[in-house]
Amino acid sequence: MDPMGLTSTDPLTDLLNGVRTSGAIFHQSSLTGSWAARFEDRSPLALAVLLHGSAWITPQGGAPVRIGPGDVAVLCGGAPYVIADDPATEPDVVIRPGGRCTTTQGEETTGARTPDAAAWGPAGVDRTLLLSGLCTVDRATPSRLLAALPPLAVVEADVGTCPVGRTTFEEITREEPGQQILLDRTLDLMLITALRAWFTRPGAQVPAWYRAHSDPVVGPALRALHADPARPWTLPSLAARTDVSRANLARRFTALVGQPPMTYLREQRLALAADLLGEPDATLATVAHRVGFANAFALSAAFKREHGVSPSEYRANQARDRPFTARFCPPDGN
């Protein structure tokens, strides 16, 4: 706790809070020759870790990015992307929701191998060894995190260290009791390590509110709002909480964050409500209480103004589009 009794959570912890993998899957592909796979699995967060060789990742609508040994790519938002030996190689495999791997014509193909500890050894000159991890979470990935990330974030080996060594690789290959929780927490560690390196790298482009956390006036106000969004905040109560004048707080907050404190709070409450609607047992009244609205009707009206659909419609859309457990199954090269 800081001297004013406010939680001293740093902005990255605040941003990553709520990301908790459920049903993580790891697969490896040992590839030679020409190969390419198109991912349409809609996983909200996915990792591609290159252990040997090189590859190119092309996000939908974006430019190809080359990754080398030790690089970690974070794919965000569920949009399609292609991983290939060369940007010009046409995909012959499509990874679809529900764990189906098909040809581009829709014909079923065999699945990929699970990771093999023996593959950790030295690679041949022309062999690419790719480890993938897919995040299939029970509820929506926090929207503030998705908004802060590009569709493809590559952490180069000399910027961040991927916590995947021989011992970790061997552990995730063992089919023993507790295996799923081990896979989940391993993917959590990999995601957090990669994202921390991404957000703290030199010249990182981060949201305005993220930078404002370091301001002596706005930072405490942000931490107070994030720590207790359901509290009936007003500008006077927030100013008193952070021990500054209302005028000073409003002026600095607007200048650094880009919007007044109460506007920011309202948007954060609605973003949090959208995340909570992904929880299957959460009622609208419960969500309203947790994010600081007087009742379900008030939340519903504000939510529809913000998102263009009612909370029930939003939840139905999320359920329809929620990613299924997917498999990474580009064919082994010959």
Side-chain angles (χ1 to χ4, degrees):
M1 302 290 285
D2 66 18
M4 290 183 290
L6 301 181
T7 303
S8 58
T9 303
D10 66 88
L12 186 57
T13 297
D14 183 61
L15 187 62
L16 297 178
N17 189 34
V19 176
R20 192 170 179 82
T21 304
S22 178
I25 301 165
F26 288 90
H27 280 297
Q28 73 175 48
S29 287
S30 181
L31 304 151
T32 58
S34 295
W35 55 271
R38 178 175 174 83
F39 290 76
E40 297 180 357
D41 57 276
R42 300 201 303 266
S43 181
L45 284 174
L47 287 176
V49 184
L50 202 64
L51 302 177
H52 300 299
S54 65
W56 290 82
I57 302 181
T58 305
Q60 181 169 269
V65 176
R66 185 182 183 276
I67 59 173
D71 292 349
V72 180
V74 180
L75 290 308
C76 169
Y81 56 95
V82 173
I83 303 183
D85 71 305
D86 186 276
T89 304
E90 290 293 327
D92 56 2
V93 170
V94 180
I95 292 81
R96 305 183 187 275
R100 294 193 308 121
C101 301
T102 74
T103 65
T104 54
Q105 292 75 36
E107 299 172 350
E108 299 289 336
T109 66
T110 57
R113 298 192 310 270
T114 55
D116 178 5
W120 186 262
V125 174
D126 298 324
R127 183 166 70 96
T128 295
L129 181 61
L130 189 65
L131 180 68
S132 68
L134 297 180
C135 175
T136 57
V137 295
D138 289 334
R139 66 181 181 87
T141 303
S143 54
R144 283 201 305 149
L145 174 59
L146 296 181
L149 284 169
L152 170 62
V154 175
V155 179
E156 297 179 349
D158 59 351
V159 173
T161 302
C162 177
V164 176
R166 179 185 294 272
T167 300
T168 303
F169 201 70
E170 290 174 351
E171 285 296 324
I172 66 176
T173 67
R174 295 180 183 175
E175 290 293 338
E176 296 182 357
Q179 177 71 356
Q180 187 58 61
I181 193 66
L182 174 67
L183 296 178
D184 291 344
R185 299 293 78 81
T186 299
L187 186 52
D188 283 344
L189 175 62
M190 294 172 69
L191 279 168
I192 291 170
T193 302
L195 292 174
R196 179 171 63 177
W198 171 261
F199 282 108
T200 59
R201 76 195 191 285
Q205 297 296 314
V206 297
W209 67 263
Y210 185 99
R211 294 192 301 271
H213 262 268
S214 61
D215 184 79
V217 172
V218 179
L222 283 168
R223 289 191 286 274
L225 296 178
H226 292 169
D228 192 4
R231 185 177 179 137
W233 293 107
T234 63
L235 182 59
S237 68
L238 185 61
R241 177 73 165 169
T242 54
D243 198 25
V244 296
S245 71
R246 284 176 288 175
N248 188 23
L249 175 60
R251 182 175 59 253
R252 289 181 68 85
F253 198 105
T254 303
L256 294 182
V257 179
Q259 54 191 176
M262 296 301 103
T263 302
Y264 176 85
L265 175 61
R266 176 183 172 277
E267 291 189 0
Q268 294 310 303
R269 283 173 168 171
L270 291 172
L272 179 56
D275 294 339
L276 293 174
L277 287 170
E279 297 182 354
D281 298 329
T283 67
L284 189 56
T286 299
V287 172
H289 175 73
R290 290 176 63 180
V291 302
F293 281 85
N295 51 49
F297 178 80
L299 171 60
S300 183
F303 194 94
K304 189 165 186 177
R305 286 195 300 270
E306 179 73 15
H307 295 283
V309 295
S310 68
S312 59
E313 290 172 319
Y314 180 87
R315 172 176 271 170
N317 293 340
Q318 290 293 103
R320 184 192 64 221
D321 296 336
R322 184 171 293 123
F324 296 91
T325 297
R327 296 291 187 272
F328 177 67
C329 53
D332 291 337
N334 295 317

